[in-house]
Amino acid sequence: MITLKNIMKSFDGTEVLKGISMTFEAGKTNLIIGQSGSGKTVLLKCLLGLHQIDSGQMYFNDQVFGEMDEESRRTLRREMGMVFQGSALFDSMSVLENVMFPMKMLTKKSYAEIKCAAEEVIERVNLENANNKLPAELSGGMQKRVAIARAVVMKPKYLFCDEPNSGLDPKTAIVIDNLIREITQENNITTVINSHDMNSVMEIGDTILFLKDGLKAWEGSKELIFNTDNDAVNDFVYSSNLMKKIKQVHN
Amino acid sequence: MLRLVFIKPTKGKVMRKLIFKDIQDLIIGSLGIVAFLSFFVGGVVSIQTALNIENPLIPKNLVGFATRQSVILEFAPTFMSIILAGKVGSFITSSIGTMRVTEQIDALEVMGINSVNYLVFPKIISMLLLPIVINFSMFLGILGGYAATIYGGFSSSADFIEGIQLDFRPYHVVYAFIKTLIFAMVLATIPSYHGYYMKGGALEVGKAATVAFVWTSVVIIVLNYFITQMLLA
């Protein structure tokens, strides 16, 4: 579980996060949604420790991030997995090497054990025939699946995904969403996903945090988001013609 | 950044592989261009020297002497380093810069890996082999001078070889290797810095590589002046 209390972050005097408080529960897919520039990526990078927060507290289970020394933070990071928006796969490594990489770097396991664990995860994301391919030889959806495999191979307690289905066709996007949800539930991971894709919200939004201009504008679940009377959320959710039609049918 | 290069090191086995890969990319991959340039520039130096000797009182062995001195003291260590700032330097900046743009460096950091050590340390270690490249350049530069002198009919083989041996001071080679090692550090660190801390997209990778080349060349030229002043004056 991750708990945020009054998180503030600014860049060059511009406040980007203005007192965000939220709880992301384990075994659930927690979505952060909002328009571009609302602070989603900054919040995710703060959670990862890539940005230092100005004030507030972040709790990872019972550990207080702000009170941890550099070594403890490094240890905590080893319990985190991250799926980047552009996958961030290592170009010069094959699929298998990419997935083996974190274990090679951070564990003392033998090569055979590492390879076995990596192959197991690759099979889990249905890429068993792509072991020896380079990232450049894969489609966008396959790259995302490799990124997910690499993120979960260390069996993380926390999984972060930055727009995991951006640039993917709707069908592949749903496959990726469902894969993340299944892995989250199977391993009881606290998963936090940045998204502005309404399909993802409807598919896997167990908990949803809506950000607007760096403020928490709404919090709820996919069941509640359709019937909320929050203007900012409705403005965002029903911005497309498709969603407007769905609302008409729903009403 | 330099502090981060040496703290929290990457696992030995992984680092060994990275170092061998960088030796292949940065050192062995540069031998071809170094050989080509050294041979022909050595030839040009000897032709220019021979053509400027009009006085019959000046001995013909001066062609070999001047070629040796030019190649060992300046051409091989300094100008080869500047040429390598273009080849090796832009390779380092663009490869690290691309990793920055595509979030691969962020991925390393998120995994709890010291990305500076992982990316820059193997490059520094492999560039320590630069004196071998420069040694190779010295040999081929003089060989090129010899070939141009003999086949151009500017001097006899005996005169050229006598000139190469004339008043030879081993300290000049030591001086060349000392400055080569210093230039090697510059070649590894300045381009790495520009790649690692670059911001923006693909276009900025190209700009960072250009800026890195300019700064590396400037620093090499300035250091060359001070090192020469300290070691030879």
Side-chain angles (χ1 to χ4, degrees):
Chain A
M1 187 170 74
I2 300 171
T3 307
L4 307 179
K5 284 191 179 165
N6 205 24
I7 302 295
M8 308 278 279
K9 175 70 189 170
S10 58
F11 293 101
D12 302 325
T14 308
E15 286 188 324
V16 180
L17 299 177
K18 302 166 186 170
I20 307 289
S21 297
M22 182 73 190
T23 298
F24 299 121
E25 288 178 33
K28 289 188 175 178
T29 42
N30 304 278
L31 265 66
I32 304 172
I33 62 169
Q35 286 179 303
S36 300
S38 58
K40 301 189 299 290
T41 302
V42 173
L43 180 57
L44 203 68
K45 288 196 171 178
C46 288
L47 285 166
L48 287 161
L50 294 175
H51 288 326
Q52 293 282 330
I53 55 172
D54 297 338
S55 62
Q57 279 300 359
M58 299 192 292
Y59 298 85
F60 290 83
N61 288 332
D62 51 355
Q63 295 173 286
V64 187
F65 192 78
E67 293 171 4
M68 294 165 82
D69 58 24
E70 193 52 41
E71 193 49 46
S72 312
R73 286 184 185 186
R74 208 168 274 273
T75 309
L76 176 67
R77 277 185 184 167
R78 290 175 187 181
E79 295 176 347
M80 295 176 177
M82 172 74 188
V83 178
F84 286 88
Q85 189 172 357
S87 298
L89 299 177
F90 301 116
D91 307 322
S92 57
M93 297 182 195
S94 68
V95 167
L96 183 64
E97 286 168 335
N98 259 289
V99 179
M100 287 169 71
F101 183 79
M103 294 190 92
K104 260 190 193 172
M105 295 294 286
L106 305 169
T107 69
K108 288 180 178 168
K109 290 182 178 173
S110 69
Y111 179 84
E113 285 175 299
I114 293 172
K115 190 168 178 241
C116 182
E119 282 174 342
E120 204 175 284
V121 182
I122 290 171
E123 201 180 322
R124 178 65 191 84
V125 298
N126 303 318
L127 278 178
E128 51 272 42
N129 297 323
N131 274 1
N132 297 318
K133 287 190 174 169
L134 291 170
E137 298 171 308
L138 304 175
S139 67
M142 288 165 93
Q143 287 185 9
K144 284 280 157 61
R145 282 191 271 166
V146 178
I148 293 169
R150 187 178 67 181
V152 300
V153 72
M154 293 279 285
K155 302 203 183 306
K157 286 183 185 166
Y158 313 98
L159 177 63
F160 302 97
C161 307
D162 191 10
E163 309 209 1
N165 45 26
S166 70
L168 301 179
D169 63 86
K171 206 173 171 183
T172 311
I174 289 170
V175 170
I176 296 295
D177 282 341
N178 288 333
L179 183 64
I180 293 171
R181 185 173 55 185
E182 286 161 21
I183 288 173
T184 299
Q185 289 170 349
E186 283 165 19
N187 303 292
N188 197 35
I189 300 171
T190 305
T191 298
V192 181
I193 303 170
N194 255 0
S195 184
H196 51 226
D197 179 13
M198 285 315 297
N199 279 338
S200 294
V201 173
M202 306 323 295
E203 284 285 329
I204 57 168
D206 293 335
T207 307
I208 299 164
L209 165 65
F210 178 76
L211 292 184
K212 186 171 167 57
D213 300 328
L215 284 164
K216 177 170 136 180
W218 186 81
E219 174 190 340
S221 65
K222 64 182 176 187
E223 290 80 18
L224 297 173
I225 202 164
F226 261 131
N227 300 315
T228 178
D229 53 5
N230 184 306
D231 291 338
V233 176
N234 283 326
D235 198 34
F236 177 78
V237 172
Y238 301 111
S239 54
S240 73
N241 284 334
L242 176 66
M243 292 307 290
K244 281 174 192 158
K245 292 268 183 209
I246 290 171
K247 191 180 185 185
Q248 280 172 6
V249 173
H250 192 253
N251 285 340
Chain B
M1 183 174 131
L2 272 178
R3 191 181 65 86
L4 286 170
V5 173
F6 298 103
I7 58 167
K8 297 186 189 85
T10 304
K11 272 172 84 174
K13 207 172 159 186
V14 177
M15 184 53 80
R16 235 184 350 261
K17 274 189 185 169
L18 291 171
I19 290 171
F20 283 129
K21 187 180 177 297
D22 279 337
I23 289 174
Q24 170 71 39
D25 291 339
L26 307 179
I27 300 294
I28 298 172
S30 303
L31 290 177
I33 183 87
V34 166
F36 179 77
L37 291 173
S38 302
F39 188 82
F40 283 96
V41 174
V44 170
V45 167
S46 65
I47 293 170
Q48 296 273 19
T49 311
L51 292 176
N52 282 286
I53 300 172
E54 288 173 355
N55 191 330
L57 293 175
I58 297 175
K60 286 288 180 190
N61 62 18
L62 185 69
V63 179
F65 176 80
T67 305
R68 184 200 75 202
Q69 289 298 83
S70 312
V71 168
I72 289 180
L73 291 175
E74 282 310 315
F75 172 72
T78 309
F79 289 96
M80 267 306 145
S81 296
I82 289 173
I83 287 161
L84 290 177
K87 189 196 176 288
V88 171
S90 47
F91 173 79
I92 292 174
T93 307
S94 55
S95 60
I96 296 180
T98 304
M99 288 186 76
R100 169 64 73 198
V101 171
T102 55
E103 297 179 306
Q104 291 175 49
I105 293 178
D106 285 343
L108 288 169
E109 287 293 319
V110 169
M111 287 175 202
I113 294 163
N114 177 358
S115 59
V116 180
N117 174 268
Y118 180 83
L119 295 171
V120 183
F121 185 76
K123 289 175 177 53
I124 290 178
I125 298 298
S126 22
M127 287 308 285
L128 289 177
L129 297 179
L130 188 64
I132 295 173
V133 178
I134 298 307
N135 199 9
F136 181 60
S137 167
M138 287 173 182
F139 171 74
L140 285 174
I142 293 170
L143 188 69
Y146 176 80
T149 306
I150 303 308
Y151 291 108
F154 300 108
S155 169
S156 69
S157 171
D159 279 342
F160 191 90
I161 290 170
E162 190 189 332
I164 291 173
Q165 294 168 338
L166 184 69
D167 194 22
F168 176 69
R169 293 182 201 172
Y171 178 67
H172 284 175
V173 178
V174 174
Y175 152 80
F177 284 156
I178 290 172
K179 67 179 186 179
T180 299
L181 276 174
I182 295 169
F183 296 159
M185 290 298 103
V186 173
L187 281 169
T189 51
I190 292 181
S192 296
Y193 175 85
H194 284 279
Y196 192 85
Y197 290 107
M198 67 150 294
K199 284 180 181 148
L203 189 63
E204 279 72 20
V205 175
K207 282 182 187 168
T210 309
V211 173
F213 169 69
V214 171
W215 274 110
T216 309
S217 308
V218 168
V219 170
I220 285 174
I221 292 290
V222 172
L223 280 176
N224 185 42
Y225 172 80
F226 286 109
I227 294 167
T228 306
Q229 180 73 27
M230 280 193 294
L231 299 181
L232 287 188

